[in-house]
Amino acid sequence: MNPKVIRNRSEYEAVLSRIEVLMDAKKGSPEEDELELWSILVERYEDTHQPIDPPDPIEAIKFRMDQEGLRPADLTRYIPSKSKISEVLSRKRPLSLSMIRSLHEGLGIPAEILVREPRADYGKAAKR
């Protein structure tokens, strides 16, 4: 199988099978070069045909908390009050610029994720 642009699902699946065969390629071998080339082509196909939306900012915070074993009270280093933390995590309060900066610097969550609009409408969530 010679590397080429992946144009459809059946070609994509055939390439994934080839990549599986090449996964144990020795470093510096022609097979490793082929694996790298196929990986680039698969990434291009997936970016075009299976795009992944960036995560919701609140879900990103919760995910990082889970990764780090943090409780909501541990976020007081980044968000000054427990009530604001609760409101943010329950989607009743939007993230402020200072919260975004602090969470980005302290937890390493990309700023471009934190500045996105969350999935919930804060106005509707506050009226419940």
Side-chain angles (χ1 to χ4, degrees), residues 47-122:
D47 287 347
T48 303
H49 295 87
Q50 302 167 353
I52 298 172
D53 291 331
D56 174 81
I58 305 307
E59 292 305 316
I61 294 168
K62 290 177 179 179
F63 178 76
R64 185 55 50 93
M65 288 172 62
D66 186 52
Q67 284 182 317
E68 301 291 327
L70 300 174
R71 296 170 297 132
D74 297 324
L75 295 181
T76 55
R77 291 177 264 176
Y78 316 111
I79 301 174
S81 79
K82 290 181 182 180
S83 64
K84 285 183 182 178
I85 293 167
S86 176
E87 290 172 346
V88 165
L89 294 178
S90 65
R91 300 174 185 274
K92 293 179 181 173
R93 173 187 290 269
L95 290 167
S96 68
L97 184 55
S98 63
M99 290 177 196
I100 290 168
R101 284 183 180 139
S102 187
L103 290 165
H104 168 67
E105 291 169 9
L107 294 178
I109 301 171
E112 59 270 12
I113 291 173
L114 294 171
V115 298
R116 289 178 48 85
E117 285 294 321
R119 292 188 189 121
D121 182 331
Y122 284 106

Side-chain angles (χ1 to χ4, degrees), residues 14-24 35 38-39 42:
V15 169
L16 291 179
S17 295
R18 179 66 183 153
I19 285 175
E20 189 174 329
V21 170
L22 296 169
M23 288 303 287
D24 294 325
L35 174 61
W38 280 124
S39 297
V42 164

